[in-house]
Amino acid sequence: MTATLDGPDFIALQVRDVEAAAAFCEKHLGLRRAPASPPGAVVFTTQPIAFAVREPLPGVDLDDVARPGLGVALWFRTTDAQALHDQLADAGVPIVAPPQESPFGLAFTFIGPEGYAITAHGG
């Protein structure tokens, strides 16, 4: 028997300031903290895949990159992409790609905690 991957099970963004990143996710994205998180991280009650912000792993220097996560596409499902876009834009969150139709519904990309580009889609 050959071992295989089943698919993503946990996603975490490495950030310099865990509390500031967690506050961004709560205030602007409506995420809720899980009842428990490991040291140096904040886990949110996202479904179907758990999401967290965490301290950088040993050997990771976030000041040594132009933009964290460059080369990774991070997409989140939302109930209403246009409404979320409008909320974020009104709050001054940078929008790098305006709402447009995609194979996954209306989608747009914004700059999240510490410069990560995040695409929201749906609704």
Side-chain angles (χ1 to χ4, degrees), residues 39-63:
V42 172
V43 178
F44 298 97
T45 58
T46 54
Q47 293 293 326
I49 297 170
F51 171 73
V53 290
R54 61 157 297 139
E55 295 173 345
L57 294 167
V60 173
D61 183 358
L62 294 174
D63 294 324

Side-chain angles (χ1 to χ4, degrees), residues 21-50:
F24 177 94
C25 291
E26 290 174 307
K27 177 181 178 183
H28 295 295
L29 307 179
L31 299 183
R32 290 184 173 79
R33 292 179 188 224
S37 294
V42 172
V43 178
F44 298 97
T45 58
T46 54
Q47 293 293 326
I49 297 170

Side-chain angles (χ1 to χ4, degrees), residues 8-26:
D9 187 46
F10 185 78
I11 297 171
L13 298 182
Q14 297 179 71
V15 297
R16 292 172 202 86
D17 187 334
V18 172
E19 280 305 316
F24 177 94
C25 291
E26 290 174 307

